[in-house]
Amino acid sequence: MPLYEHVFLARQDLAQAQVDALAENASKIITDNGGTVAKTETWGLRSLAYRIAKNRKAHYVMLDLDAPPAAVAELERQSNINEDVIRFLTLRVDELEAGPSAMMRRGDKERERGPRGDRGDRGDRGDRPDFRPREEEVG
């Protein structure tokens, strides 16, 4: 069977439990039509690049699918009907990504770098003269 990645965006005012229920519903549609869901990732509430249907943020969810085309067509049909799903995108891929996706790895990398990145305490550069206030500032 072909392999797919399906990402959908859910409305910002949904609770996390409702978003998980949407992902479970999508998984059920796939399994009922003869496919399997290899992985489900919730990327969380993220800002959108532009407003979509008065939403500035959305809950992002990704599903890795191994399913026949008819199952994916049914999933897309149900996603179009559901008012809680703002947008969705299904891509056919050659192979499913092992381990966490790039979006999940990005968050891990930011957490391990710390609040100031890898800059550390830079201190004085040494190439500037000492600071002296101008005469009119001294008074």
Side-chain angles (χ1 to χ4, degrees), residues 6-127:
H6 178 78
V7 178
F8 68 88
L9 281 61
R11 290 183 317 153
Q12 65 185 357
D13 58 345
L14 296 179
Q16 187 61 43
Q18 293 172 307
V19 175
D20 294 340
L22 284 173
E24 280 295 318
N25 187 31
S27 299
K28 185 177 181 323
I29 291 169
I30 293 297
T31 54
D32 289 349
N33 289 298
T36 59
V37 178
K39 179 174 56 173
T40 302
E41 285 186 357
T42 303
W43 294 341
L45 186 65
R46 303 178 58 86
S47 296
L48 299 172
Y50 53 90
R51 285 176 43 181
I52 301 173
K54 299 183 181 178
N55 290 294
R56 293 186 185 278
K57 293 185 176 191
H59 293 275
Y60 284 66
V61 179
M62 184 189 76
L63 305 169
D64 282 344
L65 310 173
D66 184 5
V72 175
E74 177 64 17
L75 176 61
E76 290 181 343
R77 187 184 77 79
Q78 292 289 335
S79 295
N80 271 328
I81 293 171
N82 195 335
E83 293 178 356
D84 292 334
V85 176
I86 301 172
R87 291 276 194 278
F88 65 89
L89 177 67
T90 306
L91 296 174
R92 185 170 177 181
V93 294
D94 294 330
E95 62 184 53
L96 297 176
E97 192 172 352
S101 66
M103 292 294 288
M104 297 300 281
R105 286 193 308 264
R106 180 174 159 242
D108 293 340
K109 199 177 286 185
E110 287 175 359
R111 273 187 234 105
E112 71 187 31
R113 278 186 12 194
R116 292 188 49 100
D118 55 357
R119 296 184 298 180
D121 185 23
R122 293 194 239 176
D124 185 26
R125 291 183 359 185
D127 62 343

